[in-house]
Amino acid sequence: MAKSARTRQRILDAAAHVLSRKGFAGTRLTDVAEAAELQAPAIYYYFPSREDLIEEVMWSGISNMAEHVQEQLDALPPDTSSLDRIEAAVEAHLRYQLEISDYTTAAIRNAGQIPDNIRVRYSAEANRYGDIWRKLFQEAKREGSLRSELDPRAARMLVLGALSWAAEWWNPRRGSLDQVIRTAKSIVRAGLSTAPEAETAAPAPQRTRARKTAKAAG
Amino acid sequence: MAKSARTRQRILDAAAHVLSRKGFAGTRLTDVAEAAELQAPAIYYYFPSREDLIEEVMWSGISNMAEHVQEQLDALPPDTSSLDRIEAAVEAHLRYQLEISDYTTAAIRNAGQIPDNIRVRYSAEANRYGDIWRKLFQEAKREGSLRSELDPRAARMLVLGALSWAAEWWNPRRGSLDQVIRTAKSIVRAGLSTAPEAETAAPAPQRTRARKTAKAAG
DNA sequence: CTGGTTTTCTAGCCACGGATCAATACTAGC
DNA sequence: GCTAGTATTGATCCGTGGCTAGAAAACCAG
C-alpha cells in the first residue's frame, strides 16, 4: 500500500523535473517515465491522463509554496512588524523555491503556457498564494510602513517577480543562498519602507529564520 | 522586393506571438502560419527550418531590447548620476517590454526551455544585454551609491527579475504603465541606494524620461 | 506452490506536426 | 499572350507521442 504511494510520488517528482525544463508542450510521458524509472504506460495506472498529471504538478507546486510561507509567517511572534514579516516571507519563498523544489519552478515557468482547462485550478491556488502577500502589503500600508508613492499592487508584483525569477539565474556554485536572501531582504525592506533604515548595516536579529522544516512535497 | 521583406516580418511577428504564449515545444508552424495569414509550407520559403525561425525570434527579442535600452542611456546627459541612469534603464526596459514587443516576452518566457543549439546564440545576446546592467551596477558601486551589504550580482538579477516578470502580470486595464514604472523606479532606487532618499516624495526632475522613439522591431 | 490481486510491460492504433516537392498562381518585362 | 522569376499551395511522407488493451510479472496470502 505504501509502495503504490511512493511510485506515484516518483512520477510526480519526475514530471515536475521534466516540466520545469521542457515546458508544458515539451513534456513527453516517455521522458517522465525515464526519470521515474518505469515505462510510460505505467503512468496511466496512477493518473488518468497526461494533463491530469501536469495539472497536479502545477497545483501542488504553488500550493506547497503557500503552505510553507504561511507556516513560517505563523511561527513569527505576534508583535512582529509588517516589514519584518515581509522579510520573513521573502526568505521563506526563496529558500523553498531554490533549495527544495522542482515544483515551484515548473509552476512558475509554465504558468503562462498551460491551456485554459488546467489554468483554472492553478490560478485558484496561485490567487490563494497571492492573498498571503496581498495581506502582508495591506498590513504594511496600514502601519504606514509603505511609501506613499508606491502602487501597492505593482510593488507587490515587482517583489514577487524578483523572487520568482531567482530560479532562472541562481546557481549554488555562484554565490551562496544566504547571500542572495540577505540581498533580497535588504532591497525589499529599503525599497518599500518609509523609514530611512535606522539599523542600516547592522546584521539585525535573525529571528526570521525560524526552523528548518525541510518538508518534501507530499 | 519590399513585399518579400514584409511577408518575412509578418511571419516573425506571428512566431513571436505564438511562441510567447505556447512555449517552444508548443509553437506549431500551422499556428504561426494562421497568425501570419498564409499556409504553413510558405514559411519554408523564408526560413530554412522551424528552429531557425524560433531562434531568430529569441535572438532579435533580446537584441532589440538591448539596443533600445542602450539608446535611452546614451541619450542621457553625461553627468547623470549612476542611480538616475539605473532608473532610466528601468523605465526603458519596462516601456519596451510592456508597450511594444511580443519578442521580449517570447524570449523571456522560453529562455529556460529552448534546446541547447538555439540557446548558444541566444545566451550570447542575453549576455550582451546583461553587460549593460552589469556596467550600470559597477558604476553605482564605484560611485558609492550601492549599499555595501548588497551582493552586486544578486541585486542586479533581482532587479532584472522584477522587471522581466512584469510581462506576466501587467495588464493595461489594471493600472497604467506609468504607474508601474514610477513604482519600479522608486523601489529600485530606494532598494539600492545608500542615501536616505533626500527628495522623497517630490516628483523629481523628469529628465530620465528621454524621448519617445517607438521604434518597432525590424 | 497456488490463486488472486496489484503493478508493470509489450505491442500497436491513431492523430498530429515538421518537412519536402511538384504544381500552381502572381507579377514584370517583352 | 509568353516567359522568367517570385511567392504560395496541396498532397504526402515520416517520425513521434498520447493512449489502450491485454499479457506478463511481481507481490502476497495461505
Side-chain angles (χ1 to χ4, degrees):
Chain A
M1 201 54 101
K3 188 193 170 193
S4 177
R6 260 187 300 125
T7 306
R8 195 188 135 92
Q9 190 59 49
R10 237 172 50 226
I11 295 174
L12 267 176
D13 292 348
H17 185 78
V18 175
L19 187 60
S20 70
R21 51 209 79 201
K22 295 296 184 70
F24 170 75
T27 297
R28 322 258 170 247
L29 289 183
T30 52
D31 297 341
V32 174
E34 191 185 2
E37 294 180 313
L38 41 70
Q39 299 297 317
I43 294 172
Y44 283 87
Y45 182 77
Y46 298 93
F47 298 90
S49 74
R50 172 180 179 272
E51 290 214 342
D52 282 83
L53 169 59
I54 290 178
E55 176 172 328
E56 183 158 338
V57 170
M58 299 280 297
W59 182 86
S60 62
I62 197 87
S63 176
N64 289 338
M65 169 72 93
E67 196 192 347
H68 174 77
V69 171
Q70 188 62 59
E71 209 172 84
Q72 300 292 28
L73 287 175
D74 291 344
L76 297 175
D79 61 334
T80 309
S81 77
S82 62
L83 283 174
D84 283 342
R85 288 170 62 76
I86 287 178
E87 273 197 16
V90 165
E91 169 155 3
H93 182 116
L94 281 176
R95 225 175 253 297
Y96 192 75
Q97 179 176 280
L98 298 180
E99 219 171 39
I100 304 180
S101 185
D102 266 344
Y103 288 74
T104 49
T105 313
I108 283 165
R109 284 193 184 171
N110 291 287
Q113 301 182 356
I114 50 178
D116 291 346
N117 53 325
I118 296 188
R119 178 175 280 126
V120 177
R121 280 208 198 160
Y122 170 76
S123 298
E125 206 57 29
N127 281 338
R128 234 174 53 85
Y129 184 50
D131 284 342
I132 293 176
W133 285 87
R134 208 167 294 126
K135 218 166 130 196
L136 286 172
F137 273 66
Q138 272 168 4
E139 277 176 34
K141 177 127 201 168
R142 186 151 27 81
E143 269 189 29
S145 309
L146 212 61
R147 284 207 312 289
S148 59
E149 80 258 28
L150 301 180
D151 170 34
R153 178 175 129 89
R156 184 181 81 241
M157 296 311 280
L158 286 165
V159 167
L160 265 172
L163 302 184
S164 302
W165 195 252
E168 303 292 333
W169 56 267
W170 186 71
N171 182 322
R173 294 194 310 268
R174 301 192 58 177
S176 78
L177 176 54
D178 285 332
Q179 179 74 1
V180 172
I181 289 175
R182 210 174 312 128
T183 300
K185 282 176 165 182
S186 173
I187 292 181
V188 169
R189 173 181 284 269
L192 302 177
S193 168
T194 45
E197 189 90 7
E199 61 222 309
T200 330
Q206 287 285 54
R207 59 152 138 43
T208 52
R209 195 180 307 165
R211 55 231 158 104
K212 253 200 177 165
T213 46
K215 177 164 163 300
Chain B
M1 199 54 100
K3 185 190 173 194
S4 176
R6 260 186 300 125
T7 306
R8 196 187 135 91
Q9 191 58 48
R10 236 171 52 226
I11 296 173
L12 267 176
D13 291 348
H17 185 78
V18 175
L19 187 60
S20 70
R21 50 209 80 198
K22 294 295 182 73
F24 169 74
T27 296
R28 320 261 171 243
L29 290 183
T30 51
D31 297 341
V32 174
E34 190 185 1
E37 295 180 313
L38 41 69
Q39 298 298 316
I43 294 173
Y44 285 88
Y45 183 78
Y46 298 92
F47 298 90
S49 74
R50 171 179 180 272
E51 291 214 341
D52 282 83
L53 168 59
I54 290 177
E55 176 171 328
E56 184 160 337
V57 170
M58 300 280 297
W59 182 87
S60 61
I62 196 86
S63 176
N64 289 338
M65 169 72 93
E67 196 193 346
H68 175 77
V69 172
Q70 187 62 60
E71 209 172 84
Q72 301 291 23
L73 287 174
D74 291 344
L76 297 175
D79 63 333
T80 309
S81 78
S82 61
L83 282 175
D84 283 341
R85 287 170 61 78
I86 288 178
E87 273 197 16
V90 165
E91 169 155 3
H93 182 116
L94 282 177
R95 224 174 256 296
Y96 193 74
Q97 180 177 279
L98 299 180
E99 219 170 41
I100 305 181
S101 186
D102 266 342
Y103 287 76
T104 49
T105 312
I108 283 166
R109 284 194 183 169
N110 291 289
Q113 302 182 355
I114 50 178
D116 291 346
N117 53 325
I118 295 187
R119 177 176 280 126
V120 177
R121 280 207 198 159
Y122 171 75
S123 299
E125 205 58 28
N127 282 338
R128 233 174 53 85
Y129 183 51
D131 285 342
I132 293 176
W133 285 87
R134 208 168 294 126
K135 217 166 131 195
L136 286 172
F137 274 66
Q138 273 169 3
E139 277 176 34
K141 178 127 200 166
R142 187 151 28 81
E143 267 190 29
S145 309
L146 212 62
R147 285 207 311 289
S148 59
E149 80 259 28
L150 301 180
D151 171 34
R153 178 175 130 88
R156 184 180 81 241
M157 296 311 280
L158 286 166
V159 168
L160 265 172
L163 301 184
S164 302
W165 196 252
E168 302 292 332
W169 55 267
W170 187 71
N171 182 321
R173 293 195 310 267
R174 301 191 56 177
S176 78
L177 176 54
D178 286 332
Q179 179 74 1
V180 172
I181 290 174
R182 211 173 312 128
T183 300
K185 282 176 165 182
S186 173
I187 291 181
V188 169
R189 172 181 284 268
L192 302 176
S193 166
T194 46
E197 188 91 5
E199 60 221 311
T200 331
Q206 288 285 53
R207 61 155 139 35
T208 52
R209 195 180 308 166
R211 59 237 160 99
K212 255 200 176 164
T213 45
K215 176 164 163 298

